Amino acid sequence: MELPKILESKAKIRFQDCDPFNHLNNAAYINYMINAREDQIEKHYSLDIFDLAKTKGISWVVGTNQIAYLKPALLMEDVIIDSQLIHCTENQLHVEIRMWNHNKTELKAVMWSTFVHFNLLQQKRWNHDEKLMELFQNITLQVGAKNFEERIMQIKPQKV
């Protein structure tokens, strides 16, 4: 069975995460997007990063985030968050996460995150084992952009 390369889930924008204008707070986008990715990889790939940390002493830490805010997410709005692995190395994962309105006609935000594989017991960067590398190679879906700015220009709705 082929694993899906683009994972998707729904979320509702909550009051405690909004600013006085009833827009999702800029920092809260990151939490919604990372939480969605964590849930998606557990559901679709049976990859429980918290269990790996507890049982094997390995996990991933965020190395970098780049985010573009395209349209505001509003209080109590239902959104769709989709994500995909766009590149992997022996000890890093590069993920793109997108937030959409409920029917995916309006792109609200795009984020690129780099996750560094980390050995919690030895407190250092760690290479992925063979099983993880095989999974990552099977689910990677490149986006064809050289950098984040180029990617935003690819997917941002063009104004006529």
Side-chain angles (χ1 to χ4, degrees):
M1 183 177 93
E2 191 171 325
L3 294 171
K5 293 183 179 181
I6 299 176
L7 308 180
E8 189 174 290
S9 55
K10 295 178 181 178
K12 183 179 287 290
I13 305 304
R14 300 296 178 178
F15 174 79
Q16 72 267 13
D17 301 319
C18 291
D19 63 21
F21 305 107
N22 290 327
H23 297 157
L24 184 61
N25 180 286
N26 288 359
Y29 279 83
I30 296 170
N31 290 332
Y32 276 78
M33 294 167 112
I34 296 293
N35 288 340
R37 180 68 182 174
E38 289 172 359
D39 293 344
Q40 292 165 356
I41 63 172
E42 182 177 8
K43 178 180 177 182
H44 293 280
Y45 305 144
S46 300
L47 187 59
D48 183 339
I49 61 174
F50 301 104
D51 186 58
L52 281 175
K54 190 169 48 175
T55 61
K56 295 187 177 182
I58 57 171
S59 193
W60 290 264
V61 295
V62 175
T64 63
N65 284 324
Q66 290 179 278
I67 189 165
Y69 305 98
L70 305 174
K71 296 277 185 180
L74 303 172
L75 175 63
M76 297 308 290
E77 181 177 9
D78 291 318
V79 295
I80 294 176
I81 301 170
D82 62 17
S83 69
Q84 68 196 70
L85 181 62
I86 59 174
H87 181 71
C88 71
T89 69
E90 63 187 11
N91 55 32
Q92 286 188 348
L93 302 174
H94 304 273
V95 176
E96 180 174 285
I97 308 172
R98 297 166 298 269
M99 181 184 287
W100 301 84
N101 66 336
H102 74 283
N103 59 2
K104 292 183 83 169
T105 58
E106 184 177 85
L107 184 60
K108 296 185 172 288
V110 179
M111 183 168 74
W112 275 12
S113 290
T114 300
F115 299 93
V116 178
H117 196 43
F118 198 76
N119 185 309
L120 300 165
L121 304 174
Q122 297 188 26
Q123 288 293 294
K124 66 180 187 178
R125 183 183 291 251
W126 202 248
N127 286 345
H128 297 121
D129 65 26
E130 193 175 310
K131 185 177 175 187
L132 286 173
M133 281 303 294
E134 184 178 332
L135 169 65
F136 300 148
Q137 289 165 354
N138 284 330
I139 63 171
T140 298
L141 182 59
Q142 296 181 356
V143 294
K146 294 181 188 87
N147 57 52
F148 185 68
E149 291 75 20
E150 184 179 314
R151 179 62 173 155
I152 297 307
M153 293 309 294
Q154 280 181 346
I155 61 178
K156 188 176 178 179
Q158 301 301 317
K159 293 188 174 153
V160 183

